[in-house]
C-alpha cells in the first residue's frame, strides 16, 4: 500500500465516522432534506463547506496547497446535475457515501454497485444503436455541432467530451472543450 | 421541526465542522479533495476486466480512469469502515433492506425498494458522469474552493431531487 492509499483510507475512515455521527448518510435523512422536512444534511454540508473553505484558502494563500477547480460547463453541469438529482431522489443515497450507509447496516445502499455497471461505458457510444451507421443520432449531432461551431468533426469514436459538445450546443455556452 | 430521539447523534454543525477540518487536512497533507463517484465506475471496470477485457480496452473513459486502486478507492473503503465503527460503537447499527421512511409509504417489499434503488443509482451515476462530479466532488470539494461549477451543481442536485421526492411522497403535508 502506497502512502497516498494509506492517507486515502485514513481520510475515508474519518469522513465515514463523521457522516455516521452526524446522521447524514441514511435514506431518511437524505430524502428528509429533499422533502424539505429535515435539514440535517443541509446543516452538515454547509458547515463543512464554510469551515473547509476558510482552511483551504488559507493553505492556498500560504502556498501549501493548490486549487483543483472543475470547469463550469453550463450544459453538462446543469443537465447532469438535474439528472443526478432525479437518481438521488429515487436511490436515497449519494452514490459516493452509499457505502457509508451500508456501514451502518442499510443494505439497500449496496445497489449502487450493480447500478454503476450501466454508467461505466462511453455513454454516448453505448446509447448509439450502430456505430457504422453514419446517420445515427450520435453522428448527426457530431456533424451538426461541428458544423455549427466551425470545428472539424471529431476523429475516432465520441466519448464523454462529446456529451459536452451536445450539451453546450443546446445551451449555447461558448467554451473550448479541447482539454 | 421535530427532534427525534437519537442519543448517539452528534450535532450536525459539529460533525460538519469536523468534516471541514478533515477535508483541510487532506488537502494539506496529500493535496486531495474529496471525491468518490469515479471509484464506483472503476469498480465496474474491474469486473469488466475479468469478463471482457477487449471491451474495456475500447472504453475511453476507462483508459482515462484506469481500474486501479488509488487514493480515492481507499477513501471510499474508508467511508464504509468509518461508518461501521461509528455505528457499532454507538449502538445505532441496524441491518435493514428497506428504510423506515420508504416503508411507511411504499411498504416492506425489499424487491420493490431494490428495483427503485437500482434504477435511481444508475440515473444518479450517469448524471454524476455528465456533470463530472457528485455531492462530494462538486458539492463539498467544489464549493470549498468557491468553484462556480460546485455551487451550480449542488443547486441542480437538490432541484432534481426535490422534484422527484415530491412526486414520490407528495408535498404539502407538514409533520
Amino acid at each position: 500500500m502506497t502512502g497516498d492509499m494509506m492517507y486515502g483510507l485514513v481520510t475515508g475512515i474519518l469522513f465515514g465516522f463523521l457522516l455516521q455521527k452526524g446522521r447524514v448518510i441514511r435514506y431518511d435523512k437524505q430524502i428528509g432534506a429533499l422533502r424539505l422536512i429535515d435539514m440535517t444534511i443541509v446543516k452538515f454540508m454547509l458547515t463543512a463547506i464554510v469551515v473547509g473553505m476558510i482552511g483551504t484558502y488559507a493553505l492556498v494563500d500560504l502556498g501549501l496547497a493548490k486549487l483543483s477547480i472543475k470547469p463550469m460547463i453550463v450544459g453538462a453541469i446543469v443537465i447532469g446535475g438535474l439528472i443526478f438529482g432525479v437518481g438521488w431522489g429515487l436511490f436515497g443515497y449519494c452514490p459516493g457515501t452509499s457505502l457509508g450507509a451500508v456501514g451502518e447496516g442499510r443494505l439497500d445502499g449496496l445497489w449502487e454497485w450493480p447500478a454503476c455497471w450501466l454508467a461505466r461505458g462511453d455513454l454516448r457510444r453505448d446509447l448509439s444503436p450502430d456505430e457504422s451507421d453514419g446517420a445515427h443520432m450520435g453522428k448527426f449531432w457530431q456533424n451538426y455541432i461541428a458544423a455549427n461551431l466551425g470545428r472539424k468533426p471529431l476523429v475516432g469514436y465520441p466519448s464523454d467530451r462529446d456529451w459536452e459538445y451536445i450539451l453546450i450546443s443546446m445551451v449555447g455556452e461558448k467554451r473550448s472543450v479541447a482539454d | 421541526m421535530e427532534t427525534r430521539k437519537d442519543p448517539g447523534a452528534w450535532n450536525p454543525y459539529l460533525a460538519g465542522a469536523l468534516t471541514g477540518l478533515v477535508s483541510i487536512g487532506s488537502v494539506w497533507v496529500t493535496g486531495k479533495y474529496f471525491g468518490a463517484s469515479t471509484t464506483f465506475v472503476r469498480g465496474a471496470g474491474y469486473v469488466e476486466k475479468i469478463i471482457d477485457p477487449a471491451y474495456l480496452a475500447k472504453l475511453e473513459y476507462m483508459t482515462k480512469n484506469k481500474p486501479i486502486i488509488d487514493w480515492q478507492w481507499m477513501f471510499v473503503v474508508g467511508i464504509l469502515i468509518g461508518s461501521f465503527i461509528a455505528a457499532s460503537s454507538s449502538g445505532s447499527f441496524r441491518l435493514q433492506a428497506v428504510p423506515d421512511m420508504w416503508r411507511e409509504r411504499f411498504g416492506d417489499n425489499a424487491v420493490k425498494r431494490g428495483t427503485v434503488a437500482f434504477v435511481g443509482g444508475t440515473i444518479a451515476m450517469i448524471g454524476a458522469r455528465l456533470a463530472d462530479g457528485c455531492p462530494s466532488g462538486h458539492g463539498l470539494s467544489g464549493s470549498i474552493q468557491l468553484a462556480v461549477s460546485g455551487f451550480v451543481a449542488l443547486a441542480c442536485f437538490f432541484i432534481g431531487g426535490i422534484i422527484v421526492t415530491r412526486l414520490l411522497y407528495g408535498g404539502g403535508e407538514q409533520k
Side-chain angles (χ1 to χ4, degrees):
Chain A
M1 187 151 30
T2 66
D4 246 19
M5 285 159 66
M6 202 65 218
Y7 281 120
L9 184 65
V10 173
T11 314
I13 290 175
L14 290 171
F15 187 41
F17 186 87
L18 292 167
L19 286 168
Q20 205 280 335
K21 285 295 183 194
R23 301 286 186 265
V24 292
I25 31 181
R26 58 187 62 166
Y27 180 92
D28 293 12
K29 293 289 184 182
Q30 305 247 333
I31 298 299
L34 294 178
R35 291 174 69 192
L36 308 174
I37 55 177
D38 182 343
M39 289 294 122
T40 310
I41 71 168
V42 178
K43 293 173 190 168
F44 175 94
M45 214 163 172
L46 294 182
T47 317
I49 289 170
V50 170
V51 172
M53 190 183 279
I54 297 167
T56 302
Y57 269 89
L59 289 174
V60 170
D61 286 349
L62 293 170
L64 296 171
K66 275 197 203 120
L67 291 179
S68 156
I69 292 183
K70 297 182 179 187
M72 176 64 199
I73 303 157
V74 176
I77 292 196
V78 171
I79 296 171
L82 291 173
I83 293 174
F84 178 90
V86 169
W88 181 24
L90 292 169
F91 184 38
Y93 301 102
C94 292
T97 57
S98 58
L99 273 187
V102 177
E104 56 171 1
R106 273 59 178 184
L107 296 177
D108 51 335
L110 281 171
W111 282 103
E112 190 52 50
W113 289 100
C116 66
W117 176 258
L118 295 176
R120 81 200 183 283
D122 293 332
L123 296 173
R124 188 164 142 218
R125 182 180 65 185
D126 288 353
L127 296 175
S128 305
D130 178 5
E131 9 188 306
S132 61
D133 176 9
H136 72 62
M137 276 301 282
K139 271 282 187 298
F140 168 78
W141 275 105
Q142 196 178 323
N143 294 332
Y144 173 85
I145 294 155
N148 270 294
L149 297 179
R151 288 196 185 93
K152 275 188 270 179
L154 297 163
V155 184
Y157 222 78
S159 65
D160 278 356
R161 307 290 304 172
D162 302 46
W163 274 98
E164 289 169 16
Y165 267 106
I166 294 174
L167 299 167
I168 289 162
S169 75
M170 296 196 306
V171 181
E173 169 86 338
K174 276 191 184 164
R175 187 185 155 277
S176 168
V177 292
D179 239 355
Chain B
M1 188 162 299
E2 89 277 37
T3 10
R4 290 204 193 96
K5 277 198 180 132
D6 191 353
W10 290 7
N11 181 314
Y13 294 113
L14 173 68
L18 290 173
T19 301
L21 292 179
V22 173
S23 78
I24 297 169
S26 172
V27 170
W28 194 348
V29 178
T30 57
K32 302 280 187 195
Y33 292 91
F34 288 6
S37 45
T38 311
T39 291
F40 285 80
V41 187
R42 281 205 177 118
Y46 260 111
V47 181
E48 190 87 281
K49 211 157 136 185
I50 301 162
I51 301 174
D52 188 356
Y55 180 72
L56 181 74
K58 281 194 292 182
L59 295 177
E60 191 180 311
Y61 186 78
M62 286 299 174
T63 333
K64 219 168 54 187
N65 298 288
K66 288 200 175 63
I68 44 158
I69 292 178
D70 62 351
W71 181 90
Q72 200 191 83
W73 228 99
M74 298 307 290
F75 176 69
V76 169
V77 172
I79 292 175
L80 172 72
I81 299 171
S83 165
F84 178 73
I85 294 171
S88 45
S89 64
S90 66
S92 58
F93 183 88
R94 212 164 105 229
L95 269 186
Q96 60 173 192
V98 181
D100 298 337
M101 190 185 274
W102 177 276
R103 178 180 291 124
E104 267 172 43
R105 170 121 183 129
F106 300 106
D108 210 2
N109 189 335
V111 176
K112 193 168 154 192
R113 165 62 193 145
T115 309
V116 173
F118 174 72
V119 172
T122 304
I123 296 172
M125 197 47 87
I126 288 173
R129 289 276 312 274
L130 280 183
D132 192 23
C134 58
S136 310
H138 264 312
L140 265 179
S141 301
S143 303
I144 277 174
Q145 303 176 68
L146 298 171
V148 177
S149 53
F151 287 114
V152 173
L154 191 55
C156 292
F157 296 158
F158 271 89
I159 294 168
I162 287 168
I163 293 169
V164 165
T165 46
R166 208 173 172 80
L167 292 173
L168 278 179
Y169 285 91
E173 81 266 39
Q174 294 291 324
K175 277 211 164 175

